[in-house]
Amino acid sequence: MKEKVVLAYSGGLDTTAIIPWLKEHFDYEVICCCIDCGQGSELDGLEERAKLSGASKLYIEDLVDDFCDNYIIPCVQAGAVYENKYLLGTSMARPAIAKRLVEIARKEGASAICHGATGKGNDQIRFELGIKALAPDLKIIAPWRMTDIWTMQSREDEIEYCKQHGIHLPFSADSSYSRDRNLWHISHEGLELEDPASEPNYDHLLVLGVTPEKAPDEAEYVTMTFEKGIPVSVNGEKMKVSDIIRKLNELGGKHGIGIVDIVENRVVGMKSRGVYETPGGTILMEAHQQLEELVLDRATMETKKDMGNKMAQIVYEGKWFTPLREAVQAFVESTQQYVTGEVKFKLYKGNIIKAGTTSPYSLYSESLASFTTGELYDHHDADGFITLFGLPLKVRAMKMAEAGK
């Protein structure tokens, strides 16, 4: 009886070519597993394609709600943004995918898991750290790193390899962007983006929305409500998180929200340039942050910002299934108890503009914040406070003056 391998299958040319390659070089029974994290029409026709390519079985696993509830929301609550711009769209999905690959491997009694990530990217790390943490006994096969037996170096090579193995599929060798899509975002790499000096060809590139220049000339008001840091409604309509993200994607795409051009530092040590479209995610992160401004005290906000940066690094580096991620997430969840209320804003040509925030747990006191103040604040108290608060500065200046003499 042949050993089984579970292949993380997207249906694209790379993973299609991997099916006959695994059978030829390892004599495995290949079980394909396509994880649906919200990539839409990319899933059409996959079963026929996988079978034609030599797979014995194809799983299509709907992880959209799991992805939203258990991976996206913890990162939104943490305010996890990598290098100030990247909202972790690909990074958050990888541990969810790795977990389900392991579950399918266990169900099928497979001895190995194979992925099609390249040897230069972050995804190989994210997939493999997830698999190692959940199933240390399973073998991991990464064809693009096995250059002694994986000799294909281009789309043309892969198309020719498939033809040689009787697989005639509608793939072309035309150059196009390298993309990764899920419900949260779509990323674009390649072509003119490989030169940081080149402006992105947005008319050719964008999928989820338009540039701010092409957005409507009229602003659109949006209201959102949150309960304990979790979004529960948009414009008065209660929805589950995945549907909220879908609705925000529609609104954000229409108004040119969430387009980011970034040169980021990959885990493997190189810089890479990409354009990310995260229309709904950008709105959700901003709305959540606006509500937190009202209800979190200063010290908690400061520490939470550090934890958000740490969470972003953890997720970007593929370390989801670690005690550190659990500890950071536990801290973040403790801060969300009172992040409840309504956020109103307007969308206009790439901008998210505040239009009012309310919460029953708001720490904002109008009487304290106004110039007249009230009984809780006596202006004279500031004298002693500033004297003590500035004491280290005054002492240092005095000592420096003495030393100068």
Side-chain angles (χ1 to χ4, degrees):
M1 188 174 178
K2 289 184 178 182
E3 286 188 80
K4 296 179 180 179
V5 60
V6 171
L7 170 65
Y9 184 66
S10 68
L13 180 56
D14 286 350
T15 52
T16 297
I18 286 173
I19 296 172
W21 180 86
L22 284 169
K23 296 177 71 174
E24 178 181 355
H25 291 279
F26 295 93
D27 197 29
Y28 277 128
E29 176 186 345
V30 181
I31 297 163
C32 289
C33 185
C34 177
I35 309 297
D36 180 7
C37 288
Q39 49 267 50
S41 61
E42 293 180 13
L43 302 176
D44 295 346
L46 285 196
E47 186 162 3
E48 181 183 5
R49 185 177 302 171
K51 295 287 180 64
L52 282 172
S53 305
S56 65
K57 190 182 294 187
L58 170 67
Y59 285 87
I60 297 181
E61 299 290 294
D62 183 349
L63 251 64
V64 174
D65 286 329
D66 176 52
F67 175 44
C68 292
D69 297 340
N70 298 313
Y71 298 88
I72 289 177
I73 288 300
C75 290
V76 171
Q77 291 179 330
V81 181
Y82 183 70
E83 295 189 340
N84 300 312
K85 287 186 178 180
Y86 174 40
L87 300 188
L88 301 171
T90 299
S91 312
M92 293 186 296
R94 294 323 189 210
I97 294 171
K99 183 180 179 184
R100 186 52 59 94
L101 290 173
V102 167
E103 290 169 352
I104 297 298
R106 294 302 194 208
K107 179 180 178 180
E108 289 287 340
S111 58
I113 293 176
C114 178
H115 65 78
T118 71
K120 282 186 174 182
N122 295 314
D123 282 341
Q124 58 180 339
I125 299 167
R126 296 166 184 155
F127 283 134
E128 295 186 32
L129 291 192
I131 295 166
K132 289 176 187 293
L134 299 173
D137 57 302
L138 290 180
K139 183 178 179 181
I140 299 172
I141 299 173
W144 281 96
R145 299 203 304 262
M146 304 172 73
T147 53
D148 53 336
I149 53 176
W150 178 270
T151 56
M152 293 171 273
Q153 297 298 316
S154 66
R155 289 182 65 86
E156 290 86 353
D157 290 345
E158 291 176 319
I159 291 169
E160 182 59 32
Y161 181 82
C162 287
K163 287 180 180 178
Q164 290 173 4
H165 289 77
I167 304 167
H168 299 277
L169 294 169
F171 292 118
S172 72
D174 296 340
S175 294
S176 62
Y177 296 103
S178 174
R179 291 184 165 108
D180 179 78
R181 181 175 183 175
N182 57 44
L183 189 65
W184 186 248
H185 88 152
I186 185 167
S187 64
H188 312 267
E189 294 178 346
L191 300 187
E192 79 275 3
L193 301 181
E194 293 186 349
D195 180 4
S198 298
E199 180 181 6
N201 181 0
Y202 286 118
D203 289 337
H204 182 220
L205 180 150
L206 295 178
V207 172
L208 299 181
V210 298
T211 59
E213 294 93 331
K214 294 186 176 181
D217 292 331
E218 291 186 7
E220 182 171 359
Y221 283 92
V222 179
T223 59
M224 291 185 64
T225 58
F226 290 80
E227 292 179 5
K228 295 187 176 182
I230 299 173
V232 293
S233 77
V234 177
N235 292 335
E237 184 180 354
K238 286 204 167 188
M239 291 179 265
K240 62 181 180 179
V241 173
S242 57
D243 287 337
I244 285 175
I245 294 172
R246 290 186 181 96
K247 180 63 177 177
L248 295 179
N249 275 336
E250 176 189 328
L251 292 167
K254 173 184 174 183
H255 290 279
I257 306 293
I259 301 168
V260 168
D261 181 354
I262 182 175
V263 175
E264 71 192 62
N265 290 292
R266 287 182 180 174
V267 182
V268 293
M270 70 182 69
K271 289 185 180 290
S272 66
R273 195 265 189 106
V275 170
Y276 297 104
E277 294 180 73
T278 321
T282 301
I283 296 171
L284 179 52
M285 294 282 278
E286 175 65 21
H288 180 265
Q289 183 177 329
Q290 287 183 22
L291 187 54
E292 282 193 329
E293 288 177 4
L294 270 189
V295 302
L296 296 186
D297 63 274
R298 178 185 175 189
T300 301
M301 284 279 281
E302 287 178 352
T303 303
K304 186 175 177 293
K305 184 176 180 181
D306 292 338
M307 290 297 100
N309 289 333
K310 177 54 70 176
M311 184 73 160
Q313 182 182 3
I314 290 168
V315 176
Y316 189 83
E317 294 179 353
K319 296 176 180 176
W320 185 274
F321 301 108
T322 61
L324 179 57
R325 192 274 304 168
E326 293 173 2
V328 171
Q329 186 172 331
F331 167 81
V332 170
E333 287 176 352
S334 74
T335 69
Q336 299 300 293
Q337 183 176 359
Y338 300 111
V339 184
T340 294
E342 182 179 274
V343 181
K344 185 178 181 182
F345 48 88
K346 57 183 176 182
L347 307 177
Y348 180 69
K349 292 191 176 294
N351 296 289
I352 304 168
I353 304 166
K354 279 186 181 182
T357 311
T358 60
S359 170
Y361 305 109
S362 172
L363 298 181
Y364 182 90
S365 169
E366 188 172 349
S367 64
L368 274 175
S370 70
F371 285 103
T372 57
T373 69
E375 293 181 0
L376 287 176
Y377 193 95
D378 187 330
H379 287 279
H380 297 96
D381 293 339
D383 288 335
F385 170 75
I386 295 171
T387 297
L388 295 178
F389 197 63
L391 186 60
L393 285 72
K394 184 173 182 178
V395 170
R396 182 180 185 275
M398 292 168 62
K399 292 294 186 181
M400 290 296 287
E402 288 178 13
K405 292 177 181 178

